[in-house]
Amino acid sequence: MFATKGLLARLKDGENIIVAEGYVFEFERRGLLKAGAFVPEVVLEDPEWVRQLHEEFVRAGSDVVLAFTYYGHREKLKVIGREQDIETLNINALKIARDVANKTNTLMAGNICNSTVYKRDNQASIEQAEAMFKEQIEWAVKEKADFIVAETFSELGEAMLALQCIQKYGNGVPAVVTLIPHSQNTTFDGLTYGQACRKLEDAGAAVVGVNCGRGPITTLPLLKEIRQACKGPIAALPVPYRTTTEQPTFQSLTDPVTGVQAFPVDLPAYACSRSQIRQWAEEVKQLGVQYVGLCCGNASHYLREVAEVYGRKPVASKYAPDMTQHFIFGNRVDSDTYYTKDVKRFL
């Protein structure tokens, strides 16, 4: 069945929305998607894996099943020579997401993203990007998306174009629009993230904020700025990597010995701990972030931490860690036996 309460009603009632993103990186880790192109071929080749990951993220606490159409647009499919499959990929991804959302009483979102062709002050590229957005939006509407996520834009200009396309072609569905924060504290077209998000909010986006690019620590200052600038719900979906002031994005992380870029295949060495994700979630909840999740690098154990901080008890919480049951570190009645003392001595 369809979710009985839509995005706008939930936001108006002050509810928080937990959102799992990060499908590209998770499928790459599982050997079902190629790093570099990052095209969601798995939708065509192994669609059951897509269904299973949707279900896994819902079990971990996601309120939204995000159709896996990120980088499923015409320009990216050209890279791998599969532009002819664009409609099949998008429709199949949307149908899978809609089916999982119906069965789990969650929201289903369509997804558009940075076009890779947009150039400000270049009308031909703007029209090309609009045409790409248009077809993906219309497919999302056809498959009854509850709202559409437009994400990972480096410039306000392209983000605004995506929002305008959702408003023009989206048959009234709400839009969540997020920018990717790079190493500088401004968009590529020179606005602070607070300024850019306020403009998107004023233009009619239901939720505005940032996704991808920066890790939890380096995203926080921008979220504080956005919270001050915007009146309505804001979004926070960082990557779960230990970025720093010196290396604020996961693309800028480098090996401290060799200086080689860690992105994308050596990023596991910089993965956040679950405790760090939990602490970040506590901070953004206190800040008033209403639409929250994780982007590239996300996994269900991370998302469960976010969901629990936001007061949820998802199905996966049944198996949350409980070290009191551990035979060495717990409080079992036999924890002081000779054996456990001996093990502790050699840890």
Side-chain angles (χ1 to χ4, degrees), residues 224-270:
K224 292 175 181 177
E225 172 191 312
I226 294 166
R227 180 66 286 166
Q228 289 182 342
C230 295
K231 300 175 182 178
I234 66 170
L237 299 105
V239 296
Y241 296 105
R242 302 184 187 196
T243 55
T244 65
T245 303
E246 293 74 26
Q247 296 179 348
T249 70
F250 71 153
Q251 294 99 336
S252 64
L253 289 169
T254 56
D255 185 285
V257 176
T258 65
V260 174
Q261 183 183 40
F263 179 90
V265 296
D266 291 330
L267 285 170
Y270 302 91

mmCIF file of all heavy atoms in Angstrom, residues 224-270:
data_model
loop_
_atom_site.group_PDB
_atom_site.id
_atom_site.type_symbol
_atom_site.label_atom_id
_atom_site.label_comp_id
_atom_site.label_asym_id
_atom_site.label_seq_id
_atom_site.Cartn_x
_atom_site.Cartn_y
_atom_site.Cartn_z
ATOM 1 N N LYS A 224 25.176 24.818 9.942
ATOM 2 C CA LYS A 224 24.838 25.898 10.865
ATOM 3 C C LYS A 224 24.522 27.178 10.089
ATOM 4 O O LYS A 224 23.579 27.910 10.423
ATOM 5 C CB LYS A 224 25.990 26.131 11.844
ATOM 6 C CG LYS A 224 26.194 24.971 12.826
ATOM 7 C CD LYS A 224 27.413 25.170 13.711
ATOM 8 C CE LYS A 224 27.592 23.982 14.650
ATOM 9 N NZ LYS A 224 28.816 24.114 15.489
ATOM 10 N N GLU A 225 25.302 27.425 9.043
ATOM 11 C CA GLU A 225 25.070 28.600 8.201
ATOM 12 C C GLU A 225 23.728 28.480 7.474
ATOM 13 O O GLU A 225 22.949 29.438 7.402
ATOM 14 C CB GLU A 225 26.212 28.703 7.184
ATOM 15 C CG GLU A 225 26.045 29.758 6.116
ATOM 16 C CD GLU A 225 27.080 29.592 5.024
ATOM 17 O OE1 GLU A 225 28.280 29.447 5.344
ATOM 18 O OE2 GLU A 225 26.686 29.589 3.843
ATOM 19 N N ILE A 226 23.446 27.290 6.948
ATOM 20 C CA ILE A 226 22.185 27.063 6.222
ATOM 21 C C ILE A 226 20.994 27.181 7.163
ATOM 22 O O ILE A 226 19.962 27.755 6.815
ATOM 23 C CB ILE A 226 22.210 25.685 5.522
ATOM 24 C CG1 ILE A 226 23.274 25.679 4.422
ATOM 25 C CG2 ILE A 226 20.840 25.335 4.943
ATOM 26 C CD1 ILE A 226 23.613 24.290 3.891
ATOM 27 N N ARG A 227 21.146 26.655 8.370
ATOM 28 C CA ARG A 227 20.048 26.730 9.338
ATOM 29 C C ARG A 227 19.704 28.180 9.671
ATOM 30 O O ARG A 227 18.520 28.532 9.827
ATOM 31 C CB ARG A 227 20.427 25.957 10.602
ATOM 32 C CG ARG A 227 19.383 25.937 11.730
ATOM 33 C CD ARG A 227 18.107 25.192 11.361
ATOM 34 N NE ARG A 227 17.249 25.941 10.427
ATOM 35 C CZ ARG A 227 16.238 25.405 9.758
ATOM 36 N NH1 ARG A 227 15.939 24.130 9.888
ATOM 37 N NH2 ARG A 227 15.521 26.150 8.932
ATOM 38 N N GLN A 228 20.694 29.019 9.764
ATOM 39 C CA GLN A 228 20.453 30.431 10.052
ATOM 40 C C GLN A 228 19.818 31.148 8.866
ATOM 41 O O GLN A 228 18.995 32.043 9.040
ATOM 42 C CB GLN A 228 21.772 31.121 10.434
ATOM 43 C CG GLN A 228 22.313 30.713 11.794
ATOM 44 C CD GLN A 228 23.589 31.456 12.164
ATOM 45 O OE1 GLN A 228 24.264 32.022 11.306
ATOM 46 N NE2 GLN A 228 23.912 31.467 13.440
ATOM 47 N N ALA A 229 20.171 30.719 7.659
ATOM 48 C CA ALA A 229 19.700 31.412 6.460
ATOM 49 C C ALA A 229 18.295 30.998 6.044
ATOM 50 O O ALA A 229 17.569 31.794 5.446
ATOM 51 C CB ALA A 229 20.669 31.160 5.310
ATOM 52 N N CYS A 230 17.918 29.758 6.344
ATOM 53 C CA CYS A 230 16.662 29.213 5.830
ATOM 54 C C CYS A 230 15.594 29.125 6.907
ATOM 55 O O CYS A 230 15.891 28.914 8.083
ATOM 56 C CB CYS A 230 16.907 27.837 5.217
ATOM 57 S SG CYS A 230 17.974 27.868 3.758
ATOM 58 N N LYS A 231 14.354 29.261 6.488
ATOM 59 C CA LYS A 231 13.222 29.215 7.409
ATOM 60 C C LYS A 231 12.662 27.808 7.577
ATOM 61 O O LYS A 231 12.178 27.441 8.649
ATOM 62 C CB LYS A 231 12.111 30.129 6.896
ATOM 63 C CG LYS A 231 12.500 31.590 6.750
ATOM 64 C CD LYS A 231 11.353 32.381 6.128
ATOM 65 C CE LYS A 231 11.713 33.841 5.926
ATOM 66 N NZ LYS A 231 10.603 34.594 5.271
ATOM 67 N N GLY A 232 12.698 27.024 6.500
ATOM 68 C CA GLY A 232 12.039 25.730 6.498
ATOM 69 C C GLY A 232 12.975 24.566 6.736
ATOM 70 O O GLY A 232 14.110 24.737 7.212
ATOM 71 N N PRO A 233 12.532 23.360 6.386
ATOM 72 C CA PRO A 233 13.330 22.149 6.629
ATOM 73 C C PRO A 233 14.639 22.161 5.846
ATOM 74 O O PRO A 233 14.682 22.571 4.685
ATOM 75 C CB PRO A 233 12.414 21.027 6.130
ATOM 76 C CG PRO A 233 11.039 21.606 6.118
ATOM 77 C CD PRO A 233 11.208 23.048 5.809
ATOM 78 N N ILE A 234 15.691 21.712 6.492
ATOM 79 C CA ILE A 234 16.979 21.605 5.806
ATOM 80 C C ILE A 234 17.452 20.157 5.822
ATOM 81 O O ILE A 234 17.053 19.362 6.665
ATOM 82 C CB ILE A 234 18.052 22.538 6.401
ATOM 83 C CG1 ILE A 234 18.411 22.138 7.833
ATOM 84 C CG2 ILE A 234 17.604 23.984 6.318
ATOM 85 C CD1 ILE A 234 19.635 22.885 8.372
ATOM 86 N N ALA A 235 18.317 19.844 4.852
ATOM 87 C CA ALA A 235 18.789 18.481 4.631
ATOM 88 C C ALA A 235 20.284 18.375 4.888
ATOM 89 O O ALA A 235 21.049 19.291 4.561
ATOM 90 C CB ALA A 235 18.484 18.047 3.198
ATOM 91 N N ALA A 236 20.687 17.237 5.451
ATOM 92 C CA ALA A 236 22.096 16.953 5.688
ATOM 93 C C ALA A 236 22.366 15.498 5.337
ATOM 94 O O ALA A 236 21.833 14.589 5.975
ATOM 95 C CB ALA A 236 22.459 17.207 7.150
ATOM 96 N N LEU A 237 23.198 15.276 4.305
ATOM 97 C CA LEU A 237 23.552 13.922 3.885
ATOM 98 C C LEU A 237 25.032 13.884 3.508
ATOM 99 O O LEU A 237 25.407 13.848 2.340
ATOM 100 C CB LEU A 237 22.697 13.474 2.693
ATOM 101 C CG LEU A 237 21.189 13.431 2.954
ATOM 102 C CD1 LEU A 237 20.490 14.614 2.290
ATOM 103 C CD2 LEU A 237 20.585 12.129 2.472
ATOM 104 N N PRO A 238 25.911 13.905 4.509
ATOM 105 C CA PRO A 238 27.348 13.887 4.224
ATOM 106 C C PRO A 238 27.829 12.487 3.845
ATOM 107 O O PRO A 238 27.075 11.509 3.944
ATOM 108 C CB PRO A 238 27.954 14.314 5.557
ATOM 109 C CG PRO A 238 27.010 13.729 6.569
ATOM 110 C CD PRO A 238 25.635 13.882 5.947
ATOM 111 N N VAL A 239 29.074 12.406 3.426
ATOM 112 C CA VAL A 239 29.706 11.107 3.230
ATOM 113 C C VAL A 239 30.291 10.664 4.577
ATOM 114 O O VAL A 239 30.773 11.505 5.344
ATOM 115 C CB VAL A 239 30.803 11.173 2.156
ATOM 116 C CG1 VAL A 239 30.193 11.511 0.806
ATOM 117 C CG2 VAL A 239 31.898 12.179 2.507
ATOM 118 N N PRO A 240 30.277 9.377 4.904
ATOM 119 C CA PRO A 240 30.761 8.929 6.217
ATOM 120 C C PRO A 240 32.266 8.685 6.237
ATOM 121 O O PRO A 240 32.738 7.588 6.537
ATOM 122 C CB PRO A 240 29.969 7.635 6.437
ATOM 123 C CG PRO A 240 29.761 7.091 5.080
ATOM 124 C CD PRO A 240 29.603 8.285 4.176
ATOM 125 N N TYR A 241 33.025 9.732 5.890
ATOM 126 C CA TYR A 241 34.480 9.631 5.899
ATOM 127 C C TYR A 241 35.070 10.732 6.775
ATOM 128 O O TYR A 241 34.471 11.798 6.940
ATOM 129 C CB TYR A 241 35.037 9.705 4.476
ATOM 130 C CG TYR A 241 34.594 8.538 3.626
ATOM 131 C CD1 TYR A 241 33.620 8.690 2.649
ATOM 132 C CD2 TYR A 241 35.132 7.265 3.838
ATOM 133 C CE1 TYR A 241 33.196 7.608 1.884
ATOM 134 C CE2 TYR A 241 34.715 6.177 3.088
ATOM 135 C CZ TYR A 241 33.744 6.353 2.115
ATOM 136 O OH TYR A 241 33.314 5.278 1.381
ATOM 137 N N ARG A 242 36.256 10.476 7.310
ATOM 138 C CA ARG A 242 36.884 11.381 8.273
ATOM 139 C C ARG A 242 37.618 12.506 7.559
ATOM 140 O O ARG A 242 38.853 12.542 7.503
ATOM 141 C CB ARG A 242 37.842 10.596 9.173
ATOM 142 C CG ARG A 242 37.165 9.470 9.936
ATOM 143 C CD ARG A 242 38.129 8.777 10.882
ATOM 144 N NE ARG A 242 37.524 7.594 11.481
ATOM 145 C CZ ARG A 242 38.012 6.964 12.559
ATOM 146 N NH1 ARG A 242 39.107 7.400 13.144
ATOM 147 N NH2 ARG A 242 37.406 5.888 13.024
ATOM 148 N N THR A 243 36.848 13.427 7.024
ATOM 149 C CA THR A 243 37.438 14.597 6.390
ATOM 150 C C THR A 243 37.908 15.572 7.469
ATOM 151 O O THR A 243 37.472 15.516 8.621
ATOM 152 C CB THR A 243 36.430 15.276 5.458
ATOM 153 O OG1 THR A 243 35.238 15.567 6.197
ATOM 154 C CG2 THR A 243 36.087 14.372 4.285
ATOM 155 N N THR A 244 38.809 16.464 7.091
ATOM 156 C CA THR A 244 39.408 17.403 8.038
ATOM 157 C C THR A 244 39.378 18.813 7.460
ATOM 158 O O THR A 244 39.063 19.013 6.278
ATOM 159 C CB THR A 244 40.873 17.026 8.315
ATOM 160 O OG1 THR A 244 41.628 17.188 7.094
ATOM 161 C CG2 THR A 244 40.998 15.586 8.806
ATOM 162 N N THR A 245 39.754 19.782 8.262
ATOM 163 C CA THR A 245 39.829 21.163 7.791
ATOM 164 C C THR A 245 40.824 21.275 6.640
ATOM 165 O O THR A 245 40.601 22.006 5.666
ATOM 166 C CB THR A 245 40.253 22.100 8.936
ATOM 167 O OG1 THR A 245 39.328 21.954 10.013
ATOM 168 C CG2 THR A 245 40.276 23.546 8.474
ATOM 169 N N GLU A 246 41.927 20.527 6.735
ATOM 170 C CA GLU A 246 42.943 20.562 5.689
ATOM 171 C C GLU A 246 42.506 19.792 4.446
ATOM 172 O O GLU A 246 42.870 20.143 3.320
ATOM 173 C CB GLU A 246 44.255 19.968 6.217
ATOM 174 C CG GLU A 246 44.926 20.779 7.315
ATOM 175 C CD GLU A 246 44.191 20.657 8.662
ATOM 176 O OE1 GLU A 246 43.510 19.611 8.886
ATOM 177 O OE2 GLU A 246 44.287 21.593 9.472
ATOM 178 N N GLN A 247 41.733 18.731 4.653
ATOM 179 C CA GLN A 247 41.225 17.912 3.553
ATOM 180 C C GLN A 247 39.719 17.757 3.763
ATOM 181 O O GLN A 247 39.244 16.748 4.260
ATOM 182 C CB GLN A 247 41.935 16.555 3.518
ATOM 183 C CG GLN A 247 43.425 16.680 3.236
ATOM 184 C CD GLN A 247 44.148 15.340 3.231
ATOM 185 O OE1 GLN A 247 43.620 14.315 3.640
ATOM 186 N NE2 GLN A 247 45.385 15.350 2.757
ATOM 187 N N PRO A 248 38.949 18.784 3.388
ATOM 188 C CA PRO A 248 37.541 18.850 3.784
ATOM 189 C C PRO A 248 36.585 17.954 3.008
ATOM 190 O O PRO A 248 35.453 17.748 3.438
ATOM 191 C CB PRO A 248 37.189 20.320 3.559
ATOM 192 C CG PRO A 248 38.146 20.785 2.531
ATOM 193 C CD PRO A 248 39.405 20.034 2.756
ATOM 194 N N THR A 249 37.024 17.415 1.869
ATOM 195 C CA THR A 249 36.147 16.547 1.082
ATOM 196 C C THR A 249 36.747 15.156 0.953
ATOM 197 O O THR A 249 37.966 14.973 1.122
ATOM 198 C CB THR A 249 35.922 17.107 -0.331
ATOM 199 O OG1 THR A 249 37.138 16.988 -1.089
ATOM 200 C CG2 THR A 249 35.487 18.565 -0.284
ATOM 201 N N PHE A 250 35.907 14.177 0.627
ATOM 202 C CA PHE A 250 36.458 12.834 0.469
ATOM 203 C C PHE A 250 37.275 12.707 -0.808
ATOM 204 O O PHE A 250 38.093 11.805 -0.925
ATOM 205 C CB PHE A 250 35.392 11.751 0.604
ATOM 206 C CG PHE A 250 34.385 11.601 -0.506
ATOM 207 C CD1 PHE A 250 33.795 10.366 -0.737
ATOM 208 C CD2 PHE A 250 33.965 12.660 -1.295
ATOM 209 C CE1 PHE A 250 32.845 10.190 -1.728
ATOM 210 C CE2 PHE A 250 33.021 12.500 -2.294
ATOM 211 C CZ PHE A 250 32.466 11.257 -2.515
ATOM 212 N N GLN A 251 37.095 13.636 -1.758
ATOM 213 C CA GLN A 251 37.955 13.631 -2.931
ATOM 214 C C GLN A 251 39.344 14.185 -2.620
ATOM 215 O O GLN A 251 40.312 13.895 -3.327
ATOM 216 C CB GLN A 251 37.328 14.455 -4.063
ATOM 217 C CG GLN A 251 36.039 13.875 -4.625
ATOM 218 C CD GLN A 251 34.809 14.546 -4.034
ATOM 219 O OE1 GLN A 251 34.874 15.103 -2.929
ATOM 220 N NE2 GLN A 251 33.692 14.492 -4.743
ATOM 221 N N SER A 252 39.446 14.993 -1.558
ATOM 222 C CA SER A 252 40.738 15.610 -1.236
ATOM 223 C C SER A 252 41.560 14.789 -0.247
ATOM 224 O O SER A 252 42.724 15.105 -0.004
ATOM 225 C CB SER A 252 40.521 17.024 -0.675
ATOM 226 O OG SER A 252 39.815 16.989 0.553
ATOM 227 N N LEU A 253 40.981 13.724 0.319
ATOM 228 C CA LEU A 253 41.719 12.897 1.257
ATOM 229 C C LEU A 253 42.893 12.205 0.557
ATOM 230 O O LEU A 253 42.742 11.652 -0.526
ATOM 231 C CB LEU A 253 40.802 11.840 1.877
ATOM 232 C CG LEU A 253 39.759 12.340 2.875
ATOM 233 C CD1 LEU A 253 38.759 11.235 3.207
ATOM 234 C CD2 LEU A 253 40.429 12.847 4.150
ATOM 235 N N THR A 254 44.066 12.252 1.190
ATOM 236 C CA THR A 254 45.249 11.617 0.619
ATOM 237 C C THR A 254 45.944 10.766 1.660
ATOM 238 O O THR A 254 45.850 11.017 2.868
ATOM 239 C CB THR A 254 46.253 12.666 0.101
ATOM 240 O OG1 THR A 254 46.588 13.564 1.179
ATOM 241 C CG2 THR A 254 45.672 13.450 -1.055
ATOM 242 N N ASP A 255 46.647 9.743 1.187
ATOM 243 C CA ASP A 255 47.417 8.874 2.073
ATOM 244 C C ASP A 255 48.519 9.695 2.740
ATOM 245 O O ASP A 255 49.281 10.387 2.058
ATOM 246 C CB ASP A 255 48.032 7.732 1.268
ATOM 247 C CG ASP A 255 48.732 6.724 2.156
ATOM 248 O OD1 ASP A 255 49.843 7.038 2.643
ATOM 249 O OD2 ASP A 255 48.180 5.636 2.363
ATOM 250 N N PRO A 256 48.610 9.658 4.081
ATOM 251 C CA PRO A 256 49.595 10.509 4.774
ATOM 252 C C PRO A 256 51.044 10.145 4.478
ATOM 253 O O PRO A 256 51.939 10.966 4.668
ATOM 254 C CB PRO A 256 49.265 10.272 6.260
ATOM 255 C CG PRO A 256 48.571 8.959 6.297
ATOM 256 C CD PRO A 256 47.811 8.865 5.013
ATOM 257 N N VAL A 257 51.278 8.939 3.984
ATOM 258 C CA VAL A 257 52.647 8.506 3.690
ATOM 259 C C VAL A 257 52.995 8.773 2.229
ATOM 260 O O VAL A 257 54.009 9.389 1.919
ATOM 261 C CB VAL A 257 52.829 7.007 4.014
ATOM 262 C CG1 VAL A 257 54.234 6.551 3.618
ATOM 263 C CG2 VAL A 257 52.588 6.752 5.492
ATOM 264 N N THR A 258 52.127 8.327 1.332
ATOM 265 C CA THR A 258 52.433 8.428 -0.099
ATOM 266 C C THR A 258 51.914 9.700 -0.740
ATOM 267 O O THR A 258 52.388 10.112 -1.791
ATOM 268 C CB THR A 258 51.831 7.230 -0.858
ATOM 269 O OG1 THR A 258 50.394 7.305 -0.763
ATOM 270 C CG2 THR A 258 52.310 5.912 -0.255
ATOM 271 N N GLY A 259 50.909 10.323 -0.140
ATOM 272 C CA GLY A 259 50.302 11.500 -0.725
ATOM 273 C C GLY A 259 49.362 11.189 -1.872
ATOM 274 O O GLY A 259 48.850 12.095 -2.528
ATOM 275 N N VAL A 260 49.090 9.910 -2.104
ATOM 276 C CA VAL A 260 48.216 9.497 -3.196
ATOM 277 C C VAL A 260 46.757 9.725 -2.803
ATOM 278 O O VAL A 260 46.356 9.507 -1.661
ATOM 279 C CB VAL A 260 48.451 8.004 -3.533
ATOM 280 C CG1 VAL A 260 47.430 7.513 -4.568
ATOM 281 C CG2 VAL A 260 49.867 7.801 -4.048
ATOM 282 N N GLN A 261 45.958 10.167 -3.756
ATOM 283 C CA GLN A 261 44.539 10.414 -3.521
ATOM 284 C C GLN A 261 43.839 9.124 -3.112
ATOM 285 O O GLN A 261 44.011 8.087 -3.747
ATOM 286 C CB GLN A 261 43.899 10.980 -4.788
ATOM 287 C CG GLN A 261 42.431 11.344 -4.648
ATOM 288 C CD GLN A 261 41.820 11.838 -5.953
ATOM 289 O OE1 GLN A 261 42.117 11.298 -7.011
ATOM 290 N NE2 GLN A 261 40.998 12.859 -5.877
ATOM 291 N N ALA A 262 43.038 9.195 -2.062
ATOM 292 C CA ALA A 262 42.329 8.019 -1.571
ATOM 293 C C ALA A 262 41.074 7.717 -2.370
ATOM 294 O O ALA A 262 40.646 6.561 -2.450
ATOM 295 C CB ALA A 262 41.968 8.204 -0.098
ATOM 296 N N PHE A 263 40.466 8.739 -2.934
ATOM 297 C CA PHE A 263 39.223 8.570 -3.704
ATOM 298 C C PHE A 263 39.506 7.851 -5.009
ATOM 299 O O PHE A 263 40.437 8.205 -5.715
ATOM 300 C CB PHE A 263 38.630 9.952 -3.991
ATOM 301 C CG PHE A 263 37.363 9.944 -4.788
ATOM 302 C CD1 PHE A 263 36.131 9.882 -4.155
ATOM 303 C CD2 PHE A 263 37.389 9.987 -6.181
ATOM 304 C CE1 PHE A 263 34.956 9.885 -4.886
ATOM 305 C CE2 PHE A 263 36.217 9.988 -6.915
ATOM 306 C CZ PHE A 263 34.998 9.931 -6.266
ATOM 307 N N PRO A 264 38.706 6.856 -5.380
ATOM 308 C CA PRO A 264 37.623 6.289 -4.593
ATOM 309 C C PRO A 264 37.957 4.970 -3.901
ATOM 310 O O PRO A 264 37.292 4.565 -2.962
ATOM 311 C CB PRO A 264 36.547 6.044 -5.652
ATOM 312 C CG PRO A 264 37.341 5.623 -6.853
ATOM 313 C CD PRO A 264 38.623 6.425 -6.790
ATOM 314 N N VAL A 265 39.009 4.277 -4.373
ATOM 315 C CA VAL A 265 39.172 2.878 -3.941
ATOM 316 C C VAL A 265 39.847 2.718 -2.584
ATOM 317 O O VAL A 265 39.729 1.664 -1.957
ATOM 318 C CB VAL A 265 39.932 2.058 -5.009
ATOM 319 C CG1 VAL A 265 39.126 1.986 -6.288
ATOM 320 C CG2 VAL A 265 41.311 2.641 -5.282
ATOM 321 N N ASP A 266 40.548 3.722 -2.108
ATOM 322 C CA ASP A 266 41.228 3.599 -0.817
ATOM 323 C C ASP A 266 40.527 4.350 0.311
ATOM 324 O O ASP A 266 41.103 4.562 1.383
ATOM 325 C CB ASP A 266 42.679 4.074 -0.942
ATOM 326 C CG ASP A 266 43.516 3.132 -1.800
ATOM 327 O OD1 ASP A 266 43.203 1.923 -1.817
ATOM 328 O OD2 ASP A 266 44.466 3.599 -2.457
ATOM 329 N N LEU A 267 39.300 4.756 0.096
ATOM 330 C CA LEU A 267 38.544 5.475 1.116
ATOM 331 C C LEU A 267 38.234 4.663 2.376
ATOM 332 O O LEU A 267 38.069 5.261 3.446
ATOM 333 C CB LEU A 267 37.241 6.016 0.527
ATOM 334 C CG LEU A 267 37.398 7.235 -0.381
ATOM 335 C CD1 LEU A 267 36.091 7.531 -1.093
ATOM 336 C CD2 LEU A 267 37.850 8.460 0.414
ATOM 337 N N PRO A 268 38.139 3.325 2.308
ATOM 338 C CA PRO A 268 37.850 2.589 3.554
ATOM 339 C C PRO A 268 38.807 2.891 4.699
ATOM 340 O O PRO A 268 38.430 2.795 5.864
ATOM 341 C CB PRO A 268 37.940 1.123 3.108
ATOM 342 C CG PRO A 268 37.492 1.150 1.689
ATOM 343 C CD PRO A 268 38.079 2.426 1.139
ATOM 344 N N ALA A 269 40.034 3.282 4.377
ATOM 345 C CA ALA A 269 40.994 3.629 5.433
ATOM 346 C C ALA A 269 40.571 4.872 6.206
ATOM 347 O O ALA A 269 41.066 5.120 7.305
ATOM 348 C CB ALA A 269 42.377 3.853 4.828
ATOM 349 N N TYR A 270 39.639 5.653 5.646
ATOM 350 C CA TYR A 270 39.207 6.903 6.267
ATOM 351 C C TYR A 270 37.747 6.850 6.713
ATOM 352 O O TYR A 270 37.144 7.878 7.005
ATOM 353 C CB TYR A 270 39.407 8.062 5.281
ATOM 354 C CG TYR A 270 40.840 8.175 4.834
ATOM 355 C CD1 TYR A 270 41.282 7.512 3.690
ATOM 356 C CD2 TYR A 270 41.767 8.887 5.582
ATOM 357 C CE1 TYR A 270 42.606 7.572 3.298
ATOM 358 C CE2 TYR A 270 43.094 8.955 5.194
ATOM 359 C CZ TYR A 270 43.510 8.293 4.051
ATOM 360 O OH TYR A 270 44.825 8.345 3.672
#
